[in-house]
Structures are given as structure tokens and as C-alpha cells.
Amino acid sequence: RLDHALYALPGPTIVDLRKTRAAQSPPVNSAAERPPREGKSRFQILLDVVQFLPEDIIIQTFEGWLLIKAQHGTRMDEHGFISRSFTRQYKLPDGVETKDLSAVLCHDGILVVEVKDPAGTK
């Protein structure tokens, strides 16, 4: 799950999978991997949240927008005291609802929010 090749942080990525697939050479021995379905776009956001604990992060949707907020209280670091917070908003693609989204906080501090794969494609 650590394929963070996009690393365009922060920001949404909407990829036309037809173009991506055409640009890639076919993988060798890829029986375990399924190629993306033709004609589908993927919505994915990668955020570097390494400075925050999972309980510091709030993910919400509201009227077609995805809101990601994080805040931690004052902490001591090597330079003194510090507190951090951020709020990001992203317009969801048409037809994407809250139930369609999944969020994963990877061990390297990258938060991945994306549209879930349809049932039966994994």
C-alpha cells in the first residue's frame, strides 16, 4: 500500500485511467494485479500528516466537498513549543458520495483518501 509515486502533496489527483494504462508497458507476471477498468477516472488525495496523530485528523463531506482538518495542541520539540493545524477542501467529482470514499493513514504519515473500488474488483 506504499505506492506513493504521485507525491503531489497536497492536492487531489484525478487520473484518466485509459491514458495511464496506454502509457504504461504491460507488467510481467501480473496475475495477482487487475488492470483499472476502461473509461473510469480515479479521485485520490495524498496528504503528508506525519506531524499529527490519527485522533487529530477529521475527515468530513458536505454538499459535494471533502473537508480534511487536523490540529494538535501545543507540544515541545527541539526548538521550543509548537502547535499545528490545517484545513483543506476539495470539490468531489460529480456522483461521488460519502459512502464511496475510503481513507487510510499509512505508517509513513501519508493520508490517502480515494474512491473505493467497486465491489468485486479486488
Side-chain angles (χ1 to χ4, degrees):
R1 179 71 192 178
L2 293 178
D3 182 15
H4 300 308
L6 297 177
Y7 267 104
L9 302 176
T13 302
I14 300 176
V15 179
D16 185 344
L17 295 176
R18 288 176 292 184
K19 293 178 184 175
T20 303
R21 188 170 173 209
Q24 295 174 347
S25 60
V28 179
N29 295 333
S30 63
E33 296 179 10
R34 289 189 168 191
R37 290 172 38 174
E38 290 291 327
K40 298 290 182 181
S41 292
R42 180 178 71 191
F43 176 80
Q44 182 181 62
I45 295 171
L46 302 175
L47 288 175
D48 181 356
V49 294
V50 72
Q51 300 294 334
F52 299 92
L53 298 171
E55 55 267 22
D56 295 336
I57 303 168
I58 298 170
I59 302 170
Q60 301 173 317
T61 58
F62 181 73
E63 295 183 0
W65 288 86
L66 172 68
L67 288 84
I68 303 173
K69 303 175 187 179
Q71 179 177 0
H72 71 69
T74 304
R75 296 181 184 164
M76 183 77 160
D77 70 2
E78 65 271 13
H79 304 290
F81 293 96
I82 188 164
S83 63
R84 293 180 181 88
S85 68
F86 76 84
T87 301
R88 294 275 182 191
Q89 298 183 92
Y90 304 98
K91 181 72 175 144
L92 291 171
D94 292 337
V96 174
E97 299 178 23
T98 303
K99 64 179 175 55
D100 301 328
L101 297 173
S102 70
V104 175
L105 181 57
C106 299
H107 78 274
D108 59 354
I110 303 297
L111 175 66
V112 181
V113 181
E114 61 190 352
V115 175
K116 293 180 202 172
D117 287 334
T121 61
K122 281 196 172 183

